Amino acid sequence: MGRLVPGPPPGPRGERAADRRGHRRGRRGTAARPLTRTARTVQLAVGDVAAACYPRSALKPVQAVGMLRAGLALDGELLALSAASHSGEERHVAGVRRILDAAELTPAALRNTPDLPYDPAVRDTWLARGRCADRLVQNCSGKHAAMLLTARRRGWSLHDYTDPRHPLQLELAATVADLAGEAVAHVAVDGCGAPLFSVSLLGLTRAVSRIAAAPEGSPEAALARALRRHPDMVAGEGRDVTRLMRAVPGLIAKDGFEGVQVAALPDGRAVGVKIADGADRARMPVAAAALAVCGVDPAALSPFAEAPVLGGGAVVGGLRAAGDLARAVAGRPPAAGPPVPVGPSCG
């Protein structure tokens, strides 16, 4: 995981995912919020979506837009890689090298944390070849290489590009605040060593909505196009984010450690999820349910609607969205209790 300096609480809470093992049911906290086309109206909110949280790698698309605004000259698969949490596949590593070559730099310039490939199969192959943790295969290396290329193009210093006071990071913080529609609540250090900007789940989802629905010719539209055309570069083969973007035409999506997921459609409908306990397995079932509320075909979402629960090496249950979110998917009103804010329909 990452290093976080003291800051605001880890995020919004609510009981919205049920873990079924046999006849017993457990709970996992989450918050989810679909948006309307305007990116200003909330259809469904569960938990305190206005509380500051750490978006982790779900913020990478917003940071990539900031780099484009600052002068980054990438497009296509390399631009998608700049917003990626990649698996460490050969094409990902080759792409990082190409970005570094464009900056006339070697991997020695990278300041991300050395690590093994994220994908288990790729990791096993890497280790079988006698290789160790390396900055090139660490899942954030595309972002770091793009940061270096941006700094090089602007004539900024390179050795300290991860310093929050560096001109690059100040530009990225400004873009986060602009797209999120709120001030950055706190600046921490993410697991890869880059600054991590804390915003609310509301602000994070608003930012991704604006990227997805941006007009042609804008940096936001350029990034959205790259993500849609190259979902394999955003994560990797077999990863749920890559599969989700392939399953839903026009969707952009990004995950983050500690149970964060965002996704947005071309008309601006978007969802944001933060699992309160930081566990990952409820992330995609809740996101899939929220996308269904936004009008996405449930058939396209069915592969993501339930996460298997294992026991003794076998599937003994599943994890699905529950509570008010599940009721919204079924078209039923929320249960009695504190009201859930409901605005105009996503459709």
Short mmCIF file of all heavy atoms in Angstrom, two decimals, residues 242-301:
data_model
loop_
_atom_site.label_atom_id
_atom_site.label_comp_id
_atom_site.label_asym_id
_atom_site.label_seq_id
_atom_site.Cartn_x
_atom_site.Cartn_y
_atom_site.Cartn_z
N THR A 242 -9.93 -3.04 -17.23
CA THR A 242 -9.81 -3.22 -18.68
C THR A 242 -11.03 -3.93 -19.23
O THR A 242 -11.61 -3.53 -20.26
CB THR A 242 -8.54 -4.02 -19.00
OG1 THR A 242 -7.39 -3.23 -18.65
CG2 THR A 242 -8.46 -4.37 -20.48
N ARG A 243 -11.49 -4.98 -18.56
CA ARG A 243 -12.66 -5.72 -19.03
C ARG A 243 -13.92 -4.87 -18.98
O ARG A 243 -14.78 -4.95 -19.86
CB ARG A 243 -12.84 -6.99 -18.20
CG ARG A 243 -11.73 -8.01 -18.41
CD ARG A 243 -12.04 -9.34 -17.75
NE ARG A 243 -12.10 -9.24 -16.29
CZ ARG A 243 -13.19 -9.39 -15.56
NH1 ARG A 243 -14.37 -9.65 -16.15
NH2 ARG A 243 -13.15 -9.30 -14.25
N LEU A 244 -14.06 -4.03 -17.95
CA LEU A 244 -15.24 -3.18 -17.83
C LEU A 244 -15.30 -2.17 -18.97
O LEU A 244 -16.37 -1.96 -19.56
CB LEU A 244 -15.22 -2.44 -16.48
CG LEU A 244 -16.39 -1.51 -16.21
CD1 LEU A 244 -17.70 -2.30 -16.10
CD2 LEU A 244 -16.15 -0.72 -14.91
N MET A 245 -14.18 -1.55 -19.31
CA MET A 245 -14.19 -0.58 -20.40
C MET A 245 -14.49 -1.25 -21.74
O MET A 245 -15.14 -0.66 -22.61
CB MET A 245 -12.86 0.18 -20.45
CG MET A 245 -12.73 1.25 -19.38
SD MET A 245 -11.36 2.40 -19.67
CE MET A 245 -9.99 1.39 -19.17
N ARG A 246 -14.04 -2.47 -21.91
CA ARG A 246 -14.36 -3.19 -23.14
C ARG A 246 -15.84 -3.59 -23.19
O ARG A 246 -16.43 -3.68 -24.28
CB ARG A 246 -13.48 -4.44 -23.25
CG ARG A 246 -12.02 -4.13 -23.59
CD ARG A 246 -11.18 -5.39 -23.51
NE ARG A 246 -9.81 -5.15 -23.98
CZ ARG A 246 -8.80 -6.00 -23.81
NH1 ARG A 246 -9.02 -7.16 -23.18
NH2 ARG A 246 -7.60 -5.72 -24.27
N ALA A 247 -16.43 -3.83 -22.03
CA ALA A 247 -17.81 -4.31 -21.98
C ALA A 247 -18.82 -3.19 -22.17
O ALA A 247 -19.94 -3.45 -22.63
CB ALA A 247 -18.06 -5.01 -20.64
N VAL A 248 -18.47 -1.96 -21.80
CA VAL A 248 -19.41 -0.83 -21.85
C VAL A 248 -18.87 0.20 -22.84
O VAL A 248 -17.92 0.92 -22.53
CB VAL A 248 -19.60 -0.20 -20.46
CG1 VAL A 248 -20.61 0.95 -20.54
CG2 VAL A 248 -20.05 -1.23 -19.44
N PRO A 249 -19.45 0.31 -24.02
CA PRO A 249 -18.94 1.24 -25.04
C PRO A 249 -18.86 2.67 -24.53
O PRO A 249 -19.81 3.18 -23.93
CB PRO A 249 -19.97 1.10 -26.17
CG PRO A 249 -20.54 -0.26 -26.00
CD PRO A 249 -20.60 -0.48 -24.51
N GLY A 250 -17.72 3.30 -24.76
CA GLY A 250 -17.54 4.70 -24.41
C GLY A 250 -17.17 4.97 -22.97
O GLY A 250 -16.87 6.12 -22.61
N LEU A 251 -17.17 3.95 -22.15
CA LEU A 251 -16.88 4.15 -20.73
C LEU A 251 -15.39 4.38 -20.50
O LEU A 251 -14.55 3.75 -21.13
CB LEU A 251 -17.31 2.91 -19.93
CG LEU A 251 -17.23 3.02 -18.41
CD1 LEU A 251 -18.39 3.84 -17.88
CD2 LEU A 251 -17.22 1.63 -17.77
N ILE A 252 -15.06 5.30 -19.59
CA ILE A 252 -13.71 5.38 -19.06
C ILE A 252 -13.79 4.98 -17.59
O ILE A 252 -14.78 5.25 -16.91
CB ILE A 252 -13.08 6.79 -19.22
CG1 ILE A 252 -13.83 7.84 -18.40
CG2 ILE A 252 -13.02 7.19 -20.68
CD1 ILE A 252 -13.12 9.20 -18.36
N ALA A 253 -12.76 4.30 -17.12
CA ALA A 253 -12.79 3.79 -15.74
C ALA A 253 -11.38 3.73 -15.20
O ALA A 253 -10.42 3.53 -15.93
CB ALA A 253 -13.43 2.41 -15.69
N LYS A 254 -11.29 3.91 -13.88
CA LYS A 254 -9.99 3.81 -13.21
C LYS A 254 -10.21 3.37 -11.78
O LYS A 254 -11.10 3.86 -11.09
CB LYS A 254 -9.25 5.16 -13.23
CG LYS A 254 -7.83 5.08 -12.70
CD LYS A 254 -6.93 4.27 -13.60
CE LYS A 254 -5.56 4.02 -12.98
NZ LYS A 254 -5.63 3.01 -11.90
N ASP A 255 -9.37 2.45 -11.34
CA ASP A 255 -9.41 1.96 -9.97
C ASP A 255 -8.30 2.59 -9.16
O ASP A 255 -7.37 3.20 -9.69
CB ASP A 255 -9.28 0.44 -9.94
CG ASP A 255 -8.02 -0.06 -10.63
OD1 ASP A 255 -7.45 0.69 -11.47
OD2 ASP A 255 -7.59 -1.19 -10.36
N GLY A 256 -8.38 2.43 -7.84
CA GLY A 256 -7.33 2.89 -6.94
C GLY A 256 -7.26 1.99 -5.73
O GLY A 256 -8.27 1.39 -5.34
N PHE A 257 -6.07 1.86 -5.15
CA PHE A 257 -5.93 1.06 -3.95
C PHE A 257 -6.88 1.57 -2.86
O PHE A 257 -7.33 2.71 -2.89
CB PHE A 257 -4.49 1.13 -3.43
CG PHE A 257 -3.56 0.15 -4.08
CD1 PHE A 257 -2.22 0.11 -3.71
CD2 PHE A 257 -3.99 -0.74 -5.04
CE1 PHE A 257 -1.34 -0.79 -4.30
CE2 PHE A 257 -3.13 -1.65 -5.63
CZ PHE A 257 -1.80 -1.68 -5.25
N GLU A 258 -7.15 0.70 -1.91
CA GLU A 258 -8.02 0.99 -0.77
C GLU A 258 -9.47 1.21 -1.20
O GLU A 258 -10.19 2.04 -0.66
CB GLU A 258 -7.49 2.16 0.05
CG GLU A 258 -6.10 1.85 0.62
CD GLU A 258 -5.54 2.94 1.49
OE1 GLU A 258 -5.48 4.09 1.01
OE2 GLU A 258 -5.16 2.66 2.63
N GLY A 259 -9.89 0.40 -2.21
CA GLY A 259 -11.30 0.35 -2.54
C GLY A 259 -11.88 1.55 -3.25
O GLY A 259 -13.02 1.93 -2.98
N VAL A 260 -11.14 2.14 -4.18
CA VAL A 260 -11.64 3.29 -4.93
C VAL A 260 -11.90 2.89 -6.38
O VAL A 260 -11.10 2.17 -6.99
CB VAL A 260 -10.66 4.47 -4.89
CG1 VAL A 260 -11.28 5.71 -5.55
CG2 VAL A 260 -10.28 4.80 -3.45
N GLN A 261 -13.00 3.35 -6.93
CA GLN A 261 -13.32 3.10 -8.33
C GLN A 261 -14.12 4.28 -8.88
O GLN A 261 -15.05 4.76 -8.23
CB GLN A 261 -14.15 1.83 -8.50
CG GLN A 261 -14.52 1.49 -9.93
CD GLN A 261 -13.33 1.06 -10.76
OE1 GLN A 261 -12.60 0.15 -10.36
NE2 GLN A 261 -13.13 1.68 -11.90
N VAL A 262 -13.75 4.73 -10.06
CA VAL A 262 -14.54 5.74 -10.77
C VAL A 262 -14.81 5.23 -12.18
O VAL A 262 -14.03 4.45 -12.74
CB VAL A 262 -13.83 7.11 -10.84
CG1 VAL A 262 -13.78 7.76 -9.47
CG2 VAL A 262 -12.43 6.99 -11.43
N ALA A 263 -15.91 5.67 -12.75
CA ALA A 263 -16.27 5.32 -14.12
C ALA A 263 -17.21 6.38 -14.65
O ALA A 263 -18.03 6.92 -13.90
CB ALA A 263 -16.93 3.94 -14.19
N ALA A 264 -17.09 6.69 -15.94
CA ALA A 264 -17.92 7.75 -16.52
C ALA A 264 -18.23 7.45 -17.97
O ALA A 264 -17.38 6.94 -18.71
CB ALA A 264 -17.22 9.11 -16.39
N LEU A 265 -19.43 7.82 -18.38
CA LEU A 265 -19.92 7.64 -19.74
C LEU A 265 -19.74 8.92 -20.55
O LEU A 265 -19.56 10.01 -19.98
CB LEU A 265 -21.39 7.24 -19.70
CG LEU A 265 -21.64 5.85 -19.09
CD1 LEU A 265 -23.07 5.75 -18.56
CD2 LEU A 265 -21.35 4.76 -20.10
N PRO A 266 -19.80 8.83 -21.89
CA PRO A 266 -19.53 10.01 -22.71
C PRO A 266 -20.45 11.19 -22.47
O PRO A 266 -20.08 12.33 -22.77
CB PRO A 266 -19.69 9.46 -24.14
CG PRO A 266 -19.39 8.02 -24.04
CD PRO A 266 -19.93 7.60 -22.70
N ASP A 267 -21.67 10.95 -21.97
CA ASP A 267 -22.58 12.07 -21.71
C ASP A 267 -22.42 12.66 -20.32
O ASP A 267 -23.17 13.54 -19.92
CB ASP A 267 -24.04 11.65 -21.94
CG ASP A 267 -24.49 10.52 -21.00
OD1 ASP A 267 -23.71 10.15 -20.10
OD2 ASP A 267 -25.62 10.02 -21.18
N GLY A 268 -21.43 12.18 -19.56
CA GLY A 268 -21.15 12.74 -18.25
C GLY A 268 -21.71 11.98 -17.08
O GLY A 268 -21.39 12.28 -15.93
N ARG A 269 -22.59 10.99 -17.33
CA ARG A 269 -23.05 10.16 -16.22
C ARG A 269 -21.86 9.43 -15.63
O ARG A 269 -21.06 8.85 -16.38
CB ARG A 269 -24.11 9.17 -16.70
CG ARG A 269 -25.45 9.78 -17.06
CD ARG A 269 -26.38 8.75 -17.67
NE ARG A 269 -25.88 8.29 -18.97
CZ ARG A 269 -26.30 7.19 -19.59
NH1 ARG A 269 -27.19 6.41 -19.00
NH2 ARG A 269 -25.83 6.86 -20.77
N ALA A 270 -21.73 9.44 -14.32
CA ALA A 270 -20.53 8.89 -13.70
C ALA A 270 -20.83 8.34 -12.33
O ALA A 270 -21.81 8.71 -11.69
CB ALA A 270 -19.45 9.99 -13.59
N VAL A 271 -19.98 7.45 -11.88
CA VAL A 271 -20.08 6.90 -10.53
C VAL A 271 -18.72 6.97 -9.86
O VAL A 271 -17.68 6.92 -10.50
CB VAL A 271 -20.58 5.44 -10.53
CG1 VAL A 271 -21.91 5.32 -11.24
CG2 VAL A 271 -19.56 4.50 -11.16
N GLY A 272 -18.76 7.10 -8.56
CA GLY A 272 -17.55 7.05 -7.75
C GLY A 272 -17.80 6.16 -6.55
O GLY A 272 -18.87 6.22 -5.94
N VAL A 273 -16.85 5.32 -6.22
CA VAL A 273 -16.97 4.38 -5.11
C VAL A 273 -15.74 4.48 -4.24
O VAL A 273 -14.61 4.54 -4.73
CB VAL A 273 -17.11 2.93 -5.63
CG1 VAL A 273 -17.07 1.93 -4.48
CG2 VAL A 273 -18.38 2.76 -6.44
N LYS A 274 -15.95 4.52 -2.93
CA LYS A 274 -14.86 4.40 -1.95
C LYS A 274 -15.32 3.41 -0.89
O LYS A 274 -16.30 3.67 -0.19
CB LYS A 274 -14.53 5.75 -1.31
CG LYS A 274 -13.55 5.65 -0.13
CD LYS A 274 -12.16 5.27 -0.60
CE LYS A 274 -11.15 5.25 0.55
NZ LYS A 274 -11.22 3.97 1.32
N ILE A 275 -14.64 2.28 -0.80
CA ILE A 275 -14.97 1.29 0.22
C ILE A 275 -14.35 1.74 1.54
O ILE A 275 -13.14 1.94 1.63
CB ILE A 275 -14.45 -0.11 -0.17
CG1 ILE A 275 -14.98 -0.51 -1.55
CG2 ILE A 275 -14.84 -1.13 0.89
CD1 ILE A 275 -16.48 -0.53 -1.67
N ALA A 276 -15.18 1.91 2.55
CA ALA A 276 -14.73 2.57 3.78
C ALA A 276 -13.63 1.81 4.49
O ALA A 276 -12.74 2.43 5.09
CB ALA A 276 -15.93 2.77 4.72
N ASP A 277 -13.66 0.47 4.47
CA ASP A 277 -12.62 -0.26 5.19
C ASP A 277 -11.37 -0.48 4.36
O ASP A 277 -10.41 -1.10 4.82
CB ASP A 277 -13.16 -1.59 5.72
CG ASP A 277 -13.55 -2.57 4.62
OD1 ASP A 277 -13.32 -2.26 3.43
OD2 ASP A 277 -14.06 -3.66 4.96
N GLY A 278 -11.35 0.02 3.12
CA GLY A 278 -10.17 -0.08 2.29
C GLY A 278 -10.00 -1.40 1.57
O GLY A 278 -9.08 -1.54 0.76
N ALA A 279 -10.87 -2.37 1.83
CA ALA A 279 -10.77 -3.66 1.15
C ALA A 279 -11.21 -3.52 -0.30
O ALA A 279 -12.06 -2.69 -0.63
CB ALA A 279 -11.61 -4.72 1.86
N ASP A 280 -10.66 -4.36 -1.17
CA ASP A 280 -10.87 -4.18 -2.60
C ASP A 280 -12.07 -4.95 -3.15
O ASP A 280 -12.68 -4.54 -4.13
CB ASP A 280 -9.62 -4.61 -3.36
CG ASP A 280 -9.74 -4.39 -4.85
OD1 ASP A 280 -9.73 -3.21 -5.26
OD2 ASP A 280 -9.85 -5.37 -5.60
N ARG A 281 -12.46 -6.06 -2.53
CA ARG A 281 -13.34 -6.98 -3.24
C ARG A 281 -14.75 -6.46 -3.44
O ARG A 281 -15.45 -6.91 -4.34
CB ARG A 281 -13.38 -8.34 -2.54
CG ARG A 281 -13.98 -8.32 -1.14
CD ARG A 281 -14.00 -9.73 -0.56
NE ARG A 281 -14.65 -9.75 0.74
CZ ARG A 281 -14.99 -10.87 1.35
NH1 ARG A 281 -14.73 -12.04 0.80
NH2 ARG A 281 -15.58 -10.82 2.54
N ALA A 282 -15.21 -5.48 -2.65
CA ALA A 282 -16.54 -4.90 -2.89
C ALA A 282 -16.53 -3.81 -3.93
O ALA A 282 -17.59 -3.38 -4.39
CB ALA A 282 -17.11 -4.36 -1.58
N ARG A 283 -15.34 -3.37 -4.33
CA ARG A 283 -15.22 -2.22 -5.24
C ARG A 283 -15.99 -2.40 -6.54
O ARG A 283 -16.82 -1.56 -6.91
CB ARG A 283 -13.73 -1.98 -5.53
CG ARG A 283 -13.44 -1.00 -6.66
CD ARG A 283 -11.94 -0.88 -6.90
NE ARG A 283 -11.31 -2.17 -7.17
CZ ARG A 283 -11.29 -2.76 -8.38
NH1 ARG A 283 -11.86 -2.17 -9.41
NH2 ARG A 283 -10.68 -3.93 -8.56
N MET A 284 -15.74 -3.48 -7.26
CA MET A 284 -16.36 -3.65 -8.56
C MET A 284 -17.84 -4.02 -8.49
O MET A 284 -18.64 -3.49 -9.28
CB MET A 284 -15.59 -4.66 -9.39
CG MET A 284 -16.01 -4.69 -10.86
SD MET A 284 -15.96 -3.08 -11.71
CE MET A 284 -14.20 -2.85 -11.94
N PRO A 285 -18.29 -4.89 -7.58
CA PRO A 285 -19.74 -5.12 -7.48
C PRO A 285 -20.54 -3.86 -7.20
O PRO A 285 -21.62 -3.66 -7.77
CB PRO A 285 -19.86 -6.14 -6.34
CG PRO A 285 -18.56 -6.88 -6.36
CD PRO A 285 -17.54 -5.85 -6.72
N VAL A 286 -20.02 -2.99 -6.33
CA VAL A 286 -20.73 -1.74 -6.03
C VAL A 286 -20.69 -0.81 -7.24
O VAL A 286 -21.69 -0.17 -7.59
CB VAL A 286 -20.14 -1.07 -4.79
CG1 VAL A 286 -20.73 0.32 -4.58
CG2 VAL A 286 -20.39 -1.93 -3.55
N ALA A 287 -19.54 -0.73 -7.91
CA ALA A 287 -19.45 0.12 -9.10
C ALA A 287 -20.40 -0.37 -10.19
O ALA A 287 -21.06 0.44 -10.86
CB ALA A 287 -18.02 0.14 -9.63
N ALA A 288 -20.49 -1.67 -10.38
CA ALA A 288 -21.39 -2.22 -11.39
C ALA A 288 -22.84 -1.89 -11.07
O ALA A 288 -23.63 -1.52 -11.95
CB ALA A 288 -21.20 -3.73 -11.50
N ALA A 289 -23.21 -2.00 -9.81
CA ALA A 289 -24.58 -1.67 -9.41
C ALA A 289 -24.86 -0.19 -9.64
O ALA A 289 -25.95 0.19 -10.10
CB ALA A 289 -24.80 -2.03 -7.94
N ALA A 290 -23.90 0.66 -9.32
CA ALA A 290 -24.09 2.10 -9.53
C ALA A 290 -24.22 2.43 -11.01
O ALA A 290 -25.01 3.29 -11.41
CB ALA A 290 -22.93 2.87 -8.90
N LEU A 291 -23.44 1.75 -11.86
CA LEU A 291 -23.56 1.97 -13.29
C LEU A 291 -24.93 1.53 -13.80
O LEU A 291 -25.50 2.14 -14.71
CB LEU A 291 -22.45 1.24 -14.04
CG LEU A 291 -21.07 1.89 -13.97
CD1 LEU A 291 -20.00 0.93 -14.49
CD2 LEU A 291 -21.05 3.20 -14.76
N ALA A 292 -25.47 0.47 -13.22
CA ALA A 292 -26.82 0.04 -13.60
C ALA A 292 -27.84 1.11 -13.25
O ALA A 292 -28.79 1.35 -14.01
CB ALA A 292 -27.16 -1.28 -12.91
N VAL A 293 -27.67 1.76 -12.10
CA VAL A 293 -28.56 2.86 -11.74
C VAL A 293 -28.47 3.99 -12.77
O VAL A 293 -29.45 4.66 -13.08
CB VAL A 293 -28.20 3.40 -10.33
CG1 VAL A 293 -29.01 4.64 -10.00
CG2 VAL A 293 -28.43 2.33 -9.28
N CYS A 294 -27.28 4.16 -13.33
CA CYS A 294 -27.08 5.19 -14.35
C CYS A 294 -27.62 4.80 -15.71
O CYS A 294 -27.53 5.57 -16.66
CB CYS A 294 -25.58 5.51 -14.47
SG CYS A 294 -25.00 6.74 -13.31
N GLY A 295 -28.15 3.60 -15.84
CA GLY A 295 -28.77 3.21 -17.09
C GLY A 295 -27.96 2.28 -17.96
O GLY A 295 -28.38 1.95 -19.07
N VAL A 296 -26.79 1.84 -17.50
CA VAL A 296 -26.00 0.89 -18.29
C VAL A 296 -26.69 -0.47 -18.28
O VAL A 296 -27.25 -0.90 -17.26
CB VAL A 296 -24.57 0.77 -17.71
CG1 VAL A 296 -23.76 -0.30 -18.46
CG2 VAL A 296 -23.85 2.12 -17.80
N ASP A 297 -26.67 -1.15 -19.41
CA ASP A 297 -27.32 -2.45 -19.56
C ASP A 297 -26.81 -3.43 -18.52
O ASP A 297 -25.62 -3.75 -18.50
CB ASP A 297 -27.04 -2.99 -20.97
CG ASP A 297 -27.74 -4.31 -21.26
OD1 ASP A 297 -28.48 -4.81 -20.38
OD2 ASP A 297 -27.52 -4.85 -22.36
N PRO A 298 -27.68 -3.96 -17.65
CA PRO A 298 -27.24 -4.91 -16.64
C PRO A 298 -26.57 -6.15 -17.22
O PRO A 298 -25.71 -6.76 -16.58
CB PRO A 298 -28.54 -5.27 -15.90
CG PRO A 298 -29.42 -4.09 -16.12
CD PRO A 298 -29.10 -3.61 -17.49
N ALA A 299 -26.95 -6.52 -18.44
CA ALA A 299 -26.34 -7.69 -19.06
C ALA A 299 -24.84 -7.46 -19.29
O ALA A 299 -24.03 -8.38 -19.12
CB ALA A 299 -27.03 -8.02 -20.38
N ALA A 300 -24.47 -6.25 -19.67
CA ALA A 300 -23.06 -5.93 -19.87
C ALA A 300 -22.30 -5.91 -18.54
O ALA A 300 -21.09 -6.15 -18.50
CB ALA A 300 -22.92 -4.59 -20.57
N LEU A 301 -23.04 -5.63 -17.47
CA LEU A 301 -22.41 -5.51 -16.15
C LEU A 301 -22.41 -6.81 -15.36
O LEU A 301 -21.76 -6.89 -14.30
CB LEU A 301 -23.14 -4.43 -15.34
CG LEU A 301 -23.11 -3.02 -15.92
CD1 LEU A 301 -24.09 -2.12 -15.17
CD2 LEU A 301 -21.70 -2.45 -15.88
#
